[in-house]
């Protein structure tokens, strides 16, 4: 062998496992060998030296390799066919290569993804059978991208058997047949049988299929390769652990990424997008250069899994800005590979870290960065690592703890620069809208009203919540409780057409509220933190809070405060109206959809009772792109997935009406007041400011955030692993049982839980209260309110809630309180 071959990075595996490469003389220049761990489908891994995935490489080499393949495809197709071509790359390894091939063709580009994106329906999917993570999704913002009749170019890093390509072609050809497919790979290692299978499939479909590769050949494997690999992995020397040193400085750079420019091809990337990126690359590189040490000679730009192309182009531009041979490029990966610090092995070092983008379909929770740590050779240490992620991956798991990727990078480099790109949030084209769009969302020509803010509307600070409501403060809407109840039960009015009379609570009752707040503030803070940390894990830092006015609004403010306190995030927060039997405010949904990605919106409420609002929300959001998963502090009804606790305990904000909710009424929906272009309405009771405890409630709970932070993170982790998290609607079943037992023929008159019982006593005509025998201080305010209303509190055994409030069934003003005679059912 020549000297170059003696240092081939596949030598260690080839000698010990009996693997050989045959074919093109260029193969050893293009690939080395390593051993996979945890993949029973394939024991070995071909490690490309020009792909920029596992092996840091000069960015010009990585991009230039793809450009050259694109030019070869252009020569194959000719100018006319090349002008109609679309390029499809494979996640995650070939996303950057596919982009580069598309650059060489100046063609539109799409890559498959393993990250589900809420609100974007997959056009299709297929399996990569030998991969560590097999499922691929196609999520074009505009499905028309793949519907043309021009040639389709499919790009992967290696063509080993052709099964993945064949799966893709069959899937797409069944939807949009075309006459010509071109498969592009760095290396073509198919056997004669594999080549015949692909050719036969092309003949069966009646299409032309060409293959373009940089090099071709074959991998010769011994029959017992899996067993040999297992023995080698077991006997491999331990990985080199970098010495613990003071963490390197972390510098965060806010790149001036152009608004609306895709960060990659997950949803499509056009020639116009390419031109915009080319124009801004020099200025972006200048921003990165300013964050680097002046003397930095070895700089690594590190991408993140599928996010390969934007970091590659940034690295190339940075290399041009710095001059010389100072910049290398690679990305993190999902693939677990053995690391051996030997010149004849392709993967010298390995950093393993927790996943930080939390894709919903991924069973593996660990990610890897290879050949980034210096290992035993100090000369391989990077002076600086520029980590480029999208905002979906900029989560606490990226930052928190020594095992986090940023923590490990700060141990192996002299400076770490973090650049976060906005993850592209496409607006689906009309061809990809749901088949049953919400009618209100399909009226973009209607003008949108503006939100309301404090102090003009509500006592909350303007940055804490934007009310998507119409101000009805000058309209007389209040009616006596008994009059409202009779009208509602007789079918003469809907409860949302009027308001109960608001009042300033008595000193006795206010003191009870403050006692309850002091006793439960830490418990509420823990529930707030658990919900906030769960949302951050599952939805990422780009989330938008939409609380259900009004009980959900204090909770939304608290979650927003937690995210600012614990993660320095400033998230938008809106209050929107939902009305039982009428659905969520459609104009508010239009506003949210116009200003944010629907998939980022999280609906928030205080607690669940039997789950009526949960069902109302889910029904109202069908076909809108919004996620119906409601987040609450307490879920005693067991009807949501995201909650702080499933215990039924007192949330003091349930003790009061407007005076704990920013002096805002419950919401109103009444013909003549609310038109088709209006938000639902509400009133601001500025005259009750003397009894307002809204800020006191928020401040008291927020003061406990620091003491419960660790427990909240642990709670979110437990929730993520909880197999019982799926709603079982036990609360609804309990309500139906109670309704039957007490002769109430309308489950809407049974209000389970401390919060709902409090509402019954404050604004409805209560019949009785069922209390779990032995319930303690959580019910002090309920007992006080019941005594004031002349309502019996009946202690019962086996109650799944702390208490249940029963509204007077078949109410008339001649039958009041617990002794009413116009009631069919049990007597007091």
């Amino acid at each position: 062998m020549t000297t170059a071959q003696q240092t081939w990075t596949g030598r260690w595996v080839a000698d010990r496992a009996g693997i050989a490469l045959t074919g093109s003389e260029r193969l050893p220049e293009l690939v080395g060998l390593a051993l996979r761990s945890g993949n029973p489908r394939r024991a070995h891994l071909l490690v490309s030296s020009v792909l920029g995935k596992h092996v840091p490489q000069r960015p010009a080499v990585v991009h230039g390799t793809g450009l050259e393949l694109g030019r070869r495809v252009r020569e194959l197709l000719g100018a006319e066919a090349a002008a109609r071509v679309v390029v499809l790359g494979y996640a995650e390894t070939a996303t950057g290569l596919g982009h580069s091939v598309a650059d060489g063709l100046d063609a539109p580009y799409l890559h498959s993804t393993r990250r589900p994106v809420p609100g974007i329906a997959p056009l299709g999917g297929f399996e990569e059978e030998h991969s560590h993570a097999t499922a691929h999704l196609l999520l074009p913002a505009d499905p028309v991208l793949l519907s043309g009749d021009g040639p389709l170019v499919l790009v992967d890093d290696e063509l080993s058997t052709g099964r993945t390509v064949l799966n893709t072609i069959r899937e797409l050809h069944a939807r949009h047949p075309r006459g010509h497919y071109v498969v592009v790979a760095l290396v073509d290692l198919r056997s004669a049988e594999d080549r015949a299978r692909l050719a036969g499939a092309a003949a069966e479909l009646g299409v032309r299929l060409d293959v373009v590769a940089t090099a071709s050949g074959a991998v010769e494997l011994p029959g017992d390769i899996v067993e040999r690999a297992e023995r080698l992995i077991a006997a491999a020397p331990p990985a080199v652990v970098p010495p613990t040193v003071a963490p390197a400085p972390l510098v965060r750079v806010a790149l001036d990424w152009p608004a609306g420019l895709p960060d990659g091809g997950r949803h499509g990337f056009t020639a116009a997008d390419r031109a915009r990126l080319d124009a801004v690359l020099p200025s972006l590189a200048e921003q990165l250069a300013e964050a680097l040490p002046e003397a930095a000679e070895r700089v690594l730009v590190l991408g993140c899994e599928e996010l390969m192309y934007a970091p590659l182009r940034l690295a190339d531009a940075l290399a041009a800005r710095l001059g010389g041979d100072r910049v290398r490029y690679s990305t993190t990966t999902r693939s677990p590979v053995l690391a051996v610090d030997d010149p004849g092995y392709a993967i010298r070092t390995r950093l393993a870290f927790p996943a930080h983008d939390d894709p919903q379909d991924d069973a593996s929770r660990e990610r890897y960065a290879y050949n980034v740590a210096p290992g035993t050779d100090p000369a391989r240490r990077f002076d600086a690592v520029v980590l480029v992620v999208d905002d979906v991956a900029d989560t606490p798991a990226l930052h928190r703890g020594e095992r986090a990727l940023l923590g490990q990078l700060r141990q192996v480099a002299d400076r770490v620069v973090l650049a976060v790109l906005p993850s592209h949030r496409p607006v689906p084209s009309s061809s990809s809208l749901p088949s049953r769009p919400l009618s209100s969302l399909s009226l973009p020509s209607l003008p949108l009203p503006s939100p309301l803010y404090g102090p003009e509307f509500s006592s909350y600070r303007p940055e804490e919540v934007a009310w998507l409501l119409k101000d009805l403060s000058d309209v007389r809407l209040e009616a006596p409780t008994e009059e409202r109840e009779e009208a509602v039960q007789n079918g003469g009015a809907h409860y949302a057409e009027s308001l109960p009379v608001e009042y300033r609570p008595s000193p006795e009752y206010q003191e009870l509220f403050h006692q309850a707040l002091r006793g439960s503030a830490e418990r509420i803070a823990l529930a707030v933190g658990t919900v906030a940390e769960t949302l951050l894990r599952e939805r990422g830092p780009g989330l938008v809070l939409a609380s259900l006015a009004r009980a959900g609004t204090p909770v939304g403010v608290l979650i927003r405060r937690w995210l600012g306190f614990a993660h320095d995030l400033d998230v938008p927060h809106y209050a929107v109206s939902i009305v039982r039997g009428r659905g969520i405010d459609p104009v508010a949904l239009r506003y949210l959809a116009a200003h944010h990605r629907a998939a980022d919106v999280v609906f928030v409420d205080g607690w669940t009772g039997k789950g009526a609002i949960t069902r109302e929300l889910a029904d109202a959001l069908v076909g809108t792109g919004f996620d119906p998963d409601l987040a609450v502090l307490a879920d005693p009804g067991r009807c949501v997935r995201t909650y702080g606790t499933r215990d039924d305990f007192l949330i003091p904000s349930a003790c009061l009406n407007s005076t704990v909710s920013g002096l805002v009424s419950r919401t109103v929906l009444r013909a003549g007041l609310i038109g088709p272009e209006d938000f639902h309405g509400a009133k601001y009771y500025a005259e009750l400011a003397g009894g307002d405890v809204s800020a006191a409630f928020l401040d008291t709970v927020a003061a406990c955030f620091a003491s419960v932070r660790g427990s909240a993170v642990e709670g979110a982790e437990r929730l993520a692993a909880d197999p019982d998290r799926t709603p079982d609607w036990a609360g609804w079943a309990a309500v139906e049982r109670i309704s039957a037992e007490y002769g109430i023929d309308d489950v809407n008159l049974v209000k389970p839980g401390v919060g709902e019982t409090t509402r019954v006593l404050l604004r409805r005509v209560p019949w009785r209260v069922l209390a779990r025998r032995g319930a303690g201080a959580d019910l002090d305010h309920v007992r006080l309110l019941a005594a004031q209303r002349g309502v019996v509190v009946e202690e019962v055994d086996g109650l799944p809630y702390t208490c249940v409030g029963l509204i007077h069934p078949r109410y008339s003003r001649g039958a009041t309180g617990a002794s009413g005679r116009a009631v069919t059912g049990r007597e007091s």
Side-chain angles (χ1 to χ4, degrees), residues 443-747:
L443 300 173
S445 60
L446 294 179
L448 288 168
S450 299
L452 302 172
Y453 299 91
E456 289 77 17
F457 186 89
S458 89
S459 60
Y460 290 132
R461 298 196 303 266
E463 68 272 14
E464 292 199 302
V465 59
W467 300 86
L468 301 186
L469 295 173
K470 181 179 181 179
D471 189 355
L472 301 178
S473 300
D474 295 332
V475 181
R476 182 171 179 79
L477 293 166
E478 293 77 13
T481 299
E482 291 79 7
E483 180 182 318
R484 293 181 74 247
E485 192 66 48
E486 184 174 24
V488 169
Q489 291 202 29
N490 289 338
H494 191 278
Y495 77 90
E497 294 178 351
S498 62
L499 292 172
V501 177
E502 294 272 351
Y503 58 92
R504 182 172 178 175
S506 67
E508 179 187 19
Y509 192 78
Q510 282 189 313
E511 177 56 29
L512 186 62
F513 163 80
H514 287 292
Q515 289 178 6
L517 178 57
R518 288 191 294 270
S520 61
E522 190 166 289
R523 190 176 186 183
I524 298 166
L526 176 58
V528 168
T530 301
V531 171
E533 295 292 333
T534 299
L535 291 175
L536 204 55
R537 284 172 59 97
E538 297 186 343
R539 306 290 285 272
L543 57 86
V544 176
L545 300 174
S547 56
L548 302 183
R550 69 184 166 183
T553 306
V555 177
V557 174
L558 284 169
I559 292 174
R560 182 182 182 277
R561 285 193 181 189
W562 178 281
L563 294 171
F565 152 77
H567 304 287
D568 198 27
L569 292 176
D570 184 11
V571 303
H573 173 215
Y574 301 90
V576 302
S577 170
I578 187 168
V579 176
R580 181 169 49 81
R582 304 282 180 87
I584 198 165
D585 184 346
V587 181
L589 285 189
R590 282 180 49 222
Y591 184 94
L592 292 172
H595 290 82
H596 303 281
R597 193 174 70 127
D600 290 334
V601 176
V602 178
F603 293 94
V604 174
D605 208 354
W607 58 86
T608 64
K610 57 182 173 288
I613 289 298
T614 307
R615 291 186 174 186
E616 190 83 43
L617 181 67
D619 291 344
L621 296 180
V622 171
T624 66
F626 289 94
D627 189 335
D629 187 16
L630 182 65
V632 300
L633 295 192
D635 179 36
R638 300 182 66 87
C639 51
V640 300
R641 293 183 65 257
T642 305
Y643 52 85
T645 178
R646 277 182 166 159
D647 294 339
D648 183 18
F649 77 104
L650 172 62
I651 299 175
S653 59
C655 292
L656 300 171
N657 284 326
S658 66
T659 52
V660 78
S661 302
L663 299 180
V664 175
S665 74
R666 66 176 307 158
T667 59
V668 174
L669 179 58
R670 192 168 89 187
L673 293 176
I674 307 300
E677 300 176 23
D678 293 329
F679 294 136
H680 291 186
K683 297 185 70 168
Y684 170 40
Y685 294 109
E687 65 273 17
L688 297 179
D692 186 19
V693 294
S694 303
F697 171 70
L698 298 173
D699 293 345
T700 303
V701 174
C704 300
F705 283 174
S707 63
V708 302
R709 183 174 184 178
S711 299
V713 172
E714 293 174 1
E717 292 172 350
R718 286 195 302 272
L719 193 63
D722 185 1
D724 295 328
R725 186 178 173 188
T726 302
D728 60 16
W729 297 88
W732 191 278
V735 166
E736 291 181 328
R737 184 174 65 251
I738 292 169
S739 179
E741 182 179 352
Y742 283 82
I744 301 172
D745 57 6
D746 184 357
V747 293

Side-chain angles (χ1 to χ4, degrees), residues 742 768-772 792-796 826:
Y742 283 82
R768 69 182 71 218
V769 172
L770 309 182
R772 183 192 297 156
V792 169
V793 178
E794 178 182 338
E795 291 198 347
V796 297
R826 292 172 47 147

